[in-house]
Amino acid sequence: MTLQYWLRWLSLQGVPRVVLRVQSRRGDTFARMLGPEGIADPHPYLEKLRAQGTLVKTPLPWVTCDHAVVRTVLRDNRFGVRSSARIEIPELLQKFANRVPPPANPADPPAMLRMNPPEHTAMRRPVVSAFTPRAIQKLRNRVETVTEELLDAMPANGSVDMVEAFASRVPIAIIFEMLGLPPEDQEKFLFWGEEMTPMLDVGISWRAYDRAMRAAQQLNDYLDGHIERLRRAPGEDILSAMITGGDLDHYALKANTSIIIGAGFETTANLIGHAVTLLLSHPEQLDRLRAEPELWPNAVEEVLRYEPPVFITARSALTDLELEGIQLPQGAMIMLSLAGANRDPAVFDDPHRFDVARPNANQHLAFSSGVHACFGANLARMEAGHALRALFERFPDMRSAAPPRLRRQLTFRGYEHMPVQLGRSAHATRSAAG
């Protein structure tokens, strides 16, 4: 990549990376949570922050793990998303960052993730209609077909990587259909997604940023051709609707397509991965689901509460304001721990216990709230609910073959590898008996 891109990394990631390392050595809890030990197990750090109060000023941003405060900030129009680094950086470096427009990607404007109303509202409108409950219900048959095809391809009594073979495959097949993309290109998107998601973290290395930018450029080049094909012959997919709507320029179309992929794919893949690991490590909960299959929808909500696919997000004060009795100036940044809010003992009894029958599991904030609430939430719930039940019914003896390995990132928290031993296939057993 060019010198300008290195300077962009330095301004947006390199400086925050140094600040975080310095603060971590000084014992700052928030900075340590963003380091290797915190990424491996962030919950002890969240509890230390919770013990310090509902709104905690760190040497970096304000931080909250409080359910009520997180929900309030997400819904309060006095707060908005940030379009630049999430840690203050020198003005000169900010100018370098702004001089070099990156390839269209989910981490930079004009992607919806980095835009506030009214621009955000206009961008979101043509997309959300594809994710309504009625639209999701129409996709159910396709989800069931994809799930069965994937399960049929798994070797009974064999071993698979559950992330590669299942957790990522169900949602990528559906989002491809929704975007009018050819199925044979799924491998490219899985690779690009893996390379690009670290951009949503703070203080990533130059090597990770370089890989992410290269993947973003490859995705841009691909989408250039795909968008032009849809301009000539639009279909009934989301992207065609965005193109024919005429509200977004070419760059914005690409940026928001990457957001749709993230909302429709990344969250669901992480959700399925977390669910498989949690159920295999809590066999008594899996036994209860087998005895009471009507609990499966609630089990999905409990997984979302216990290990949300998106761990943390941020908001910035758009004006001088007061929050929790504290005066915040315009521009003040608050890191909102969705995972911390989901284990708030003021809302959830015994919050560190995984319980598929928890009566208020759906009070979690895993899909955010307010204007930036995840529009892929209904799709993720439907896909995960069907896929997980079908998986555990097909392979009732499935067990972990080796410890699963998490990605080394915090914002999109999910598994990189998950080796499992499938055991017997109930489907094959029933066929033989028949």
Side-chain angles (χ1 to χ4, degrees):
M1 300 293 260
T2 64
L3 173 62
Q4 287 87 349
Y5 274 109
W6 184 86
L7 290 171
R8 184 177 178 83
W9 165 81
L10 181 64
S11 64
L12 297 181
Q13 298 286 351
V15 171
R17 183 178 176 86
V18 172
V19 172
L20 287 169
R21 286 188 171 184
V22 170
Q23 291 303 132
S24 181
R25 285 197 294 268
R26 291 176 177 175
D28 177 63
T29 302
F30 176 72
R32 292 184 66 195
M33 185 180 72
L34 297 183
E37 291 184 5
I39 289 176
D41 185 10
H43 293 287
Y45 297 94
L46 290 178
E47 294 311 310
K48 288 181 181 180
L49 289 167
R50 192 191 311 281
Q52 296 175 34
T54 57
L55 188 60
V56 180
K57 182 66 177 79
T58 76
L60 302 169
W62 292 87
V63 181
T64 182
C65 303
D66 185 87
H67 187 281
V69 175
V70 171
R71 187 174 185 275
T72 294
V73 172
L74 290 172
R75 290 171 168 261
D76 193 330
N77 60 14
R78 297 177 301 167
F79 291 92
V81 295
R82 291 178 65 105
S83 60
S84 60
R86 285 167 279 181
I87 296 175
E88 294 302 330
I89 58 177
E91 184 176 350
L92 179 62
L93 288 177
Q94 288 186 17
K95 290 181 179 179
F96 277 121
N98 295 331
R99 281 182 57 191
V100 187
N105 67 83
D108 292 286
M112 283 180 279
L113 194 63
R114 293 285 183 252
M115 300 294 284
N116 293 312
E119 294 82 4
H120 170 268
T121 306
M123 289 183 180
R124 186 178 172 103
R125 190 178 298 115
V127 177
V128 294
S129 61
F131 290 90
T132 62
R134 172 182 282 186
I136 298 308
Q137 186 61 34
K138 291 181 180 178
L139 285 169
R140 181 174 291 276
N141 288 342
R142 181 60 183 148
V143 170
E144 292 174 357
T145 299
V146 168
T147 300
E148 290 304 305
E149 290 173 351
L150 291 169
L151 293 176
D152 288 344
M154 292 185 186
N157 295 311
S159 298
V160 299
D161 185 319
M162 189 53 59
V163 174
E164 196 283 328
F166 192 71
S168 63
R169 297 292 172 173
V170 174
I172 196 68
I174 301 305
I175 206 64
F176 257 53
E177 188 161 308
M178 296 178 74
L179 288 171
L181 294 163
E184 60 270 19
D185 290 337
Q186 289 181 16
E187 295 296 334
K188 295 177 183 177
F189 277 74
L190 289 170
F191 172 76
W192 291 333
E194 189 71 20
E195 295 290 278
M196 289 171 61
T197 51
M199 281 196 296
L200 297 172
D201 270 12
V202 181
I204 66 173
S205 69
W206 161 248
R207 181 177 297 179
Y209 184 81
D210 183 43
R211 288 199 304 265
M213 285 293 100
R214 291 178 188 277
Q217 188 59 62
Q218 291 168 8
L219 175 60
N220 269 245
D221 294 343
Y222 179 97
L223 289 177
D224 283 338
H226 184 63
I227 289 170
E228 288 308 314
R229 285 191 292 272
L230 292 183
R231 287 190 194 279
R232 294 191 297 268
E236 298 181 359
D237 55 273
I238 304 173
L239 190 50
S240 292
M242 293 167 66
I243 292 168
T244 56
D247 294 328
L248 303 179
D249 63 25
H250 188 75
Y251 186 89
L253 282 169
K254 292 190 292 185
N256 287 295
T257 297
S258 64
I259 285 289
I260 294 168
I261 293 169
F265 161 64
E266 193 70 34
T267 53
T268 308
N270 289 347
L271 168 56
I272 293 173
H274 283 305
V276 171
T277 297
L278 285 168
L279 290 170
L280 290 180
S281 61
H282 294 80
E284 77 288 352
Q285 297 296 314
L286 186 53
D287 287 343
R288 182 159 188 182
L289 287 171
R290 287 174 175 140
E292 303 174 65
E294 67 275 10
L295 286 176
W296 271 109
N298 198 73
V300 170
E301 301 298 331
E302 176 67 349
V303 173
L304 288 164
R305 182 198 73 83
Y306 195 82
E307 289 289 4
V310 179
F311 191 86
I312 197 166
T313 188
R315 293 293 185 270
S316 184
L318 301 179
T319 184
D320 296 344
L321 56 88
E322 179 180 312
L323 181 67
E324 293 293 295
I326 298 171
Q327 294 295 325
L328 298 178
Q330 181 179 355
M333 183 180 57
I334 304 179
M335 298 299 289
L336 308 171
S337 174
L338 304 179
N342 287 354
R343 296 198 188 189
D344 188 339
V347 178
F348 304 102
D349 293 335
D350 196 4
H352 298 292
R353 177 171 57 88
F354 178 63
D355 179 7
V356 297
R358 184 179 294 275
N360 68 336
N362 63 357
Q363 291 183 27
H364 64 77
L365 296 172
F367 289 125
S368 190
S369 190
V371 297
H372 281 278
C374 178
F375 49 73
N378 288 328
L379 178 61
R381 286 183 169 103
M382 186 270 284
E383 288 179 325
H386 176 77
L388 289 165
R389 181 172 179 177
L391 172 67
F392 282 99
E393 287 180 351
R394 177 72 69 94
F395 297 106
D397 302 326
M398 183 171 58
R399 58 183 175 81
S400 177
R405 188 167 74 222
L406 283 162
R407 294 180 185 142
R408 294 179 182 177
Q409 57 196 62
L410 193 65
T411 301
F412 272 102
R413 184 170 167 80
Y415 285 96
E416 184 177 25
H417 295 294
M418 188 184 301
V420 298
Q421 181 70 36
L422 292 170
R424 65 186 173 90
S425 168
H427 180 79
T429 301
R430 284 194 298 269
S431 297

